[in-house]
Every structure is written in structure tokens, then in C-alpha cells.
Amino acid sequence: MINKIPKQVVDVLQRIEKAGFEAYIVGGCVRDLIMEKIPSDWDVATNAKPEEVQKIFLDLNDDVSRKETTFYENDFGTVGVKVERFSPGDFKYDVIEVTTFRIESKYSDRRRPDEVRFADTLEEDLSRRDFTMNALAIKINFKQKSPKDEYEIIDLYDGKKDITQKIIRTVGNANERFDEDALRMMRAVRFYAQLGFEIEKNTLQAIQKNSENMKYISAERIRDELVKIILSNSPSEGVEMLRQVGLLNYIIPELEKGVGVAQNRHHIYTIYKHCVLALKHCPSKKLEVRLASLLHDIAKPQTKRGEGEFATFYNHDHVGARVAKKILQRLKFSNDIVEKVFLLVDNHMFYYNPEEVGEASVRRLIRKVGLENMKDLMDVRIADRLGSGVPKAKPYKLRHFEYIIEKVSKDAVSVKMLKVNGMDLMKELNIAPGPKIGAILDVLLAEVIEDAAKNKKELLLIRAKELDKEDLSKLREMAKEKIEEKKEEDDKEIKNKYWVK
Ligand code: ATP
Ligand code: MG
């Protein structure tokens, strides 16, 4: 195990000890080492105060500029020590977080501690940690006499045993620990999803009892744990566990509205179950695609009309995109994620029946969602299919659709991709710059989307001359008609004909 610890981490410990302080490797990385996994980050705990830690590393004669060797910019007594990179990635440095021993202090607003209180001993520091598996420490003996004394694991709460038995158990009284910081309840579920451990009975009961306290936790902290659940190997089990213990109501209550709500003859599962199963079967590892899979039918409860086999959910895609956006904004996700999930949910009902879908309608879809998003959109649709209990991931229909995407992927779907540009038109038609040029280009694009063979310079210039005879409003109408209304017409026709979903 010891040889799995990067030399840079050992160096940090040694420098702190040389300066006369204690230093230990603590937290999740010890757990990961015991489980023979590669830790994602390395945490060090010490009795040196933050300023003292900074001083130790400022005195280094590294070629890294002195000011940049450490940074200390949070309220938790953590100093980031920059070291030469040892993990995969592009940055020049890795950062080892060195945190001064702390003890639990009061959270009077139940959101964050009133103050950070430093502690003198490792024992105190370990006692404030959330779970037994996270309350382990490693001490490296730099003056060891024999190789077997190279390091020592400090395990005051039987954490090692819980790791071996795959149990998530709070350090100390579960009710008290969750009362101090309600986020720990969500962390328990996060570790359940990430590690596949069971939540110990008392711990589980305490979560059920204290779930309401989640309402005090900030959106950012909730988001960070949710992301870890969604990106884990068992995201659907994680979400279902959140529901079972009563936490989901404080995270995505919109999902709960689908619990027990039947769909129609095309579905064997209730709305909620289908959402969770879509997440389970999502073929992508991307956060936004997984979120879109979970949320793609989020508006089905409120768009449901009728009961029984013929119930319908018209517009649930577009309403759902707006609901998903609201949820993700509330949870303080970045704009990129919010917009991407919106796009994927909004468009997840695209039609792909080979007998009906022509190249033009695939080009219209690509124009709407962007070629770069097509793969992700397909993945949401695969998740949707698999999550509805239909066995094949990619029926020949989807494969055919992929083939058309590939085939039309070089076709023009934007004005930029036309074989003529504004300059060409001004020259050919002998007109001044102005809105008419843009309008003519829009009509040309609409026609090229319908028939890619028309994207040839000579043909476009001939057509432009004809269009030049129309006035601006007529041109705008023509472009709009061709692109938007055609698409809507398609949708309507297709939905009326087939889409009883
Ligand atoms: P990961 O592999 O995702 O980094 P981790 O266990 O290291 O998992 P972190 O969020 O990085 O989790 O936290 C580091 C350590 O700090 C934890 O292992 C735990 O000991 C302690 N810790 C973190 N959050 C809390 C909390 N809310 N309450 C008590 N202890 C916590
Ligand atoms: Mg960590």
C-alpha cells in the first residue's frame, strides 16, 4: 500500500514533520488505499496552523516561484500545497490539501459552522469526520527501524472493518452527526452509490428521521454531492435511495411527482421508475447527458391527459425542458450544463422511423440542435428506450438514423455553409448591404436544407436573382415557412399518425 502513495505526498509529510509538527494522510484517500483504488485527491492533516504550514513551504528552494508554492484562501484552515504533477492531466501541478486539525463547532444556521475551531490532536480531528471509513489516518514513520514499521494506520472507529464489510456508519451518534450537518445524509447516499456499500441500520434510520434538515443546506453543497451520485457507477440506485430515505424531496421534488403515476399502453413502468431506469441505462458518462436522461420526462405528470392505455403527454418534451432548466438553475449548475440539458430534453422526441424520415428532416434536426450535440441526443434516446423496458439498445431504426446523420453531416445546415455568401449576392444582384441580403440567404438555406443538391454556386445565384424580385417581408415569410412551419407540420403529422407516447 505504501508504495501507492506518491512521493510528493510523502515529501509534504516529511517537511511538516521536520519542522517539528505532526502530519498524517487522512480521509477519503486512506479509504481508497485500503480498497486498493487510486485516490482522486490527497488530504493531509496537521497540528501546524495554516500560517505555519505556509511558512514551511515558503522556505522551499523550489524553482516554483515562492509566492505560488502554497495558497490559503478558504475559511477552513486548508493550505493548498502545489507539487510537481503525479496524477494524469495537463496542469503543471497537483495540489495537496493540508488542513489544520479541527473540531466540530456549532452550526447555528445549520448551513455552515459559525467558526473554524482548531484542535490540538489527531483524535479530535478524526472524531468530527462523517463516517468510520473516512476517519482513518496514516502516519509514515520516517525513522523506522524495519520495513514493517514503515507506516501505521490509525483506526479509532473500526473504519477498516467497516470498509472490509462494506458498511457506511457514522462516527458516533448518527442522529447527532446529521443534526450537526445535514449534508452528511446525502454524502451517505453518495458513498452508497459510488462504493456499493450498505448504509448501516442506525445510520439509515437517522437519515429517515432527520431528512427534513436538508432544507437548510445550500444548493451548491447539494449540487456537488448530486453530481457525484449521477457520475457514480450506480446513479439510479443512488437516486432511488435518496427517495427511499426521504431526501429526494429536498433535492428534486419534481421527480417525486411521477411516483406511482402510470403511463399508457406503450409503457410498462410508471413515470418515476422510467426516469430512474433511463438514467441507469444511459450509455454516456457525461454529466449533462445523464441529467437529461433522468429529467427527460420530468413534465409528464403535469402534461398527462386522460387515463389508462390511451393517456397522452403532448408537449411534455418542451414543458420538460423548461422544468429541467428551473431545477438545474435552482441547484446552481453552470449555464453550460443548464443549456445543454434544456436542448437535450427539448429535442428528445425526435422522430427516426426510416420509412418516414428523409434526409431533409434530419438536416432540420441538425440545424436545430447542432451536429456536435447529435451523439448526446442519440444517447438520451437510447437511455429512454432501454429505460422503458424495450430490450434492444439500438434497434435498426436508430442505426439507420445514425447512418443518415453521418450521410448528411457535411450538408449545409447554416448560412455559413452555403456555397454563396453576402458578398457574392451583393456583386451578382448589384445591391447595397442590408437586411435583404440576409433574408435571401435564409430562403436559400431553407431550400438547400430541403434539397442538398441545390447547394451549388451557379444554382444559388440564379435562384437569388428570382428571390431579389420579392420584397423583404415576403422573403422573411418564405424562409420561416420553409424551416419552422415545415418542421412543425412534420412533427404534428408524425405525432398524429404514430406518436401516442
Ligand atoms: P472523494 O473520493 O469524493 O474525494 P472523500 O471521502 O475524500 O471522497 P471529501 O468530500 O473529499 O470526500 O472529504 C474529505 C474528508 O473530509 C472525508 O473523507 C471526511 O473525512 C471529511 N468530510 C468531508 N465532508 C464532511 C462533512 N460534511 N462532515 C464531516 N466530515 C467530512
Ligand atoms: Mg476527497
Side-chain angles (χ1 to χ4, degrees):
M1 184 176 83
I2 193 89
N3 51 18
K4 297 245 172 67
I5 303 172
K7 181 181 155 293
Q8 287 87 331
V9 177
V10 178
D11 277 353
V12 167
L13 294 176
Q14 192 162 22
R15 283 186 206 274
I16 298 173
E17 295 214 345
K18 260 198 181 146
F21 299 100
E22 294 172 45
Y24 304 86
I25 304 174
V26 288
C29 49
V30 182
R31 180 196 69 227
D32 290 341
L33 280 174
I34 290 173
M35 292 176 71
E36 295 185 352
K37 292 206 305 193
I38 296 170
S40 55
D41 46 34
W42 294 85
D43 295 313
V44 170
T46 178
N47 59 346
K49 297 288 177 299
E51 309 74 46
E52 290 168 329
V53 176
Q54 278 197 305
K55 192 161 170 293
I56 293 170
F57 291 94
L58 280 176
D59 289 345
L60 288 183
N61 283 327
D62 290 350
D63 39 10
V64 187
S65 95
R66 286 187 162 214
K67 236 173 85 197
E68 285 202 328
T69 317
T70 67
F71 52 90
Y72 173 41
E73 50 187 6
N74 58 49
D75 305 331
F76 302 105
T78 300
V79 176
V81 177
K82 284 183 185 170
V83 298
E84 192 193 318
R85 185 157 202 103
F86 55 83
S87 63
D90 301 328
F91 285 122
K92 211 167 154 194
Y93 309 108
D94 265 307
V95 173
I96 312 228
E97 298 207 325
V98 180
T99 307
T100 307
F101 294 153
R102 282 195 286 152
I103 41 173
E104 194 61 66
S105 49
K106 246 181 72 206
Y107 291 61
S108 29
D109 63 353
R110 291 177 177 276
R111 290 173 83 93
R112 38 175 42 237
D114 299 342
E115 51 171 350
V116 171
R117 284 165 59 200
F118 294 133
D120 297 324
T121 63
L122 176 72
E123 288 69 27
E124 286 172 291
D125 185 80
L126 295 180
S127 74
R128 62 135 184 123
R129 293 182 180 265
D130 49 6
F131 304 109
T132 57
M133 62 182 179
N134 291 341
L136 291 152
I138 292 178
K139 178 177 171 52
I140 298 191
N141 294 322
F142 293 103
K143 293 176 222 138
Q144 93 269 16
K145 297 203 176 63
S146 75
K148 77 174 190 359
D149 297 326
E150 227 172 4
Y151 68 94
E152 182 189 337
I153 295 181
I154 296 140
D155 181 8
L156 306 176
Y157 300 98
D158 267 344
K160 240 176 117 174
K161 189 167 152 215
D162 281 342
I163 291 174
T164 324
Q165 299 189 345
K166 298 180 179 254
I167 292 172
I168 301 165
R169 184 198 313 269
T170 51
V171 169
N173 182 294
N175 272 310
E176 285 169 19
R177 305 314 310 281
F178 293 145
D179 190 53
E180 284 161 5
D181 179 9
L183 187 75
R184 288 172 188 154
M185 300 187 283
M186 196 175 171
R187 285 175 59 85
V189 178
R190 186 257 276 195
F191 289 118
Y192 164 85
Q194 270 185 337
L195 307 175
F197 285 19
E198 289 303 320
I199 304 175
E200 176 270 333
K201 199 166 135 254
N202 282 322
T203 304
L204 194 71
Q205 280 172 355
I207 297 177
Q208 282 160 332
K209 195 171 153 211
N210 291 279
S211 59
E212 205 190 319
N213 288 341
M214 271 303 282
K215 64 176 184 240
Y216 299 111
I217 301 300
S218 74
E220 290 82 354
R221 293 183 79 204
I222 291 179
R223 176 203 57 207
D224 290 349
E225 292 300 325
L226 181 64
V227 165
K228 289 185 176 173
I229 292 174
I230 298 289
L231 293 180
S232 73
N233 285 333
S234 306
S236 58
E237 287 83 349
V239 171
E240 171 58 8
M241 180 56 87
L242 287 174
R243 187 184 74 78
Q244 282 178 20
V245 297
L247 295 176
L248 190 59
N249 240 326
Y250 302 94
I251 304 166
I252 311 180
E254 292 85 348
L255 269 174
E256 299 248 8
K257 288 193 192 141
V259 174
V261 181
Q263 303 201 52
N264 58 26
R265 66 200 157 110
H266 298 281
H267 292 268
I268 54 174
Y269 299 124
T270 61
I271 297 174
Y272 167 78
K273 183 140 195 224
H274 168 60
C275 290
V276 169
L277 285 175
L279 172 62
K280 182 184 181 81
H281 294 291
C282 177
S284 174
K285 291 200 181 321
K286 290 189 189 173
L287 176 65
E288 58 272 31
V289 182
R290 289 186 173 199
L291 284 169
S293 299
L294 177 66
L295 299 176
H296 75 284
D297 278 351
I298 196 72
K300 271 194 166 177
Q302 63 261 48
T303 53
K304 183 173 178 180
R305 297 291 175 268
E307 275 304 328
E309 338 173 14
F310 293 101
T312 62
F313 303 95
Y314 288 123
N315 245 2
H316 78 271
D317 40 358
H318 309 308
V319 181
R322 293 200 293 272
V323 177
K325 186 172 186 163
K326 237 177 82 189
I327 294 170
L328 298 177
Q329 283 176 334
R330 184 179 70 219
L331 290 169
K332 303 279 196 292
F333 277 89
S334 72
N335 266 342
D336 287 357
I337 298 282
V338 173
E339 292 308 327
K340 181 73 179 274
V341 174
F342 182 92
L343 187 86
L344 294 175
V345 174
D346 202 32
N347 289 288
H348 82 267
M349 295 282 284
F350 67 87
Y351 192 69
Y352 60 87
N353 195 346
E355 290 92 57
E356 305 294 321
V357 177
E359 293 180 8
S361 65
V362 177
R363 280 191 291 268
R364 282 196 292 272
L365 182 65
I366 294 176
R367 177 181 153 82
K368 220 165 107 193
V369 305
L371 187 61
E372 70 282 12
N373 295 317
M374 290 301 284
K375 164 87 173 63
D376 294 339
L377 188 60
M378 297 286 283
D379 281 348
V380 172
R381 196 54 178 267
I382 291 168
D384 185 2
R385 264 189 80 82
L386 289 176
S388 56
V390 182
K392 255 175 144 186
K394 279 196 201 178
Y396 81 96
K397 287 199 289 185
L398 260 180
R399 277 200 303 271
H400 178 86
F401 193 80
E402 266 177 353
Y403 159 75
I404 304 182
I405 294 173
E406 175 77 37
K407 190 159 168 230
V408 306
S409 63
K410 301 243 159 38
D411 292 348
V413 291
S414 70
V415 166
K416 271 202 303 242
M417 297 167 86
L418 287 173
K419 296 284 187 222
V420 294
N421 60 27
M423 291 296 261
D424 298 329
L425 293 192
M426 289 192 308
K427 222 165 90 192
E428 184 75 15
L429 308 174
N430 201 15
I431 52 173
K436 196 162 182 190
I437 306 228
I440 292 176
L441 287 171
D442 283 344
V443 179
L444 292 177
L445 174 65
E447 295 179 353
V448 163
I449 286 178
E450 293 313 310
D451 179 1
K454 288 184 177 163
N455 194 14
K456 297 203 176 64
K457 192 162 182 179
E458 322 80 68
L459 294 179
L460 292 171
L461 289 177
I462 294 170
R463 180 66 180 140
K465 271 187 186 154
E466 284 169 30
L467 291 171
D468 189 29
K469 294 180 195 129
E470 306 290 349
D471 66 21
L472 187 61
S473 59
K474 170 77 182 165
L475 287 169
R476 284 190 172 148
E477 208 177 286
M478 284 171 80
K480 199 171 164 221
E481 223 169 72
K482 289 220 163 81
I483 291 183
E484 287 170 29
E485 290 179 12
K486 179 87 177 86
K487 172 85 181 93
E488 263 170 36
E489 225 171 73
D490 272 11
D491 278 2
K492 223 181 271 163
E493 202 176 297
I494 285 162
K495 275 185 187 163
N496 284 343
K497 227 160 140 190
Y498 302 91
W499 206 275
V500 227
K501 211 177 158 179

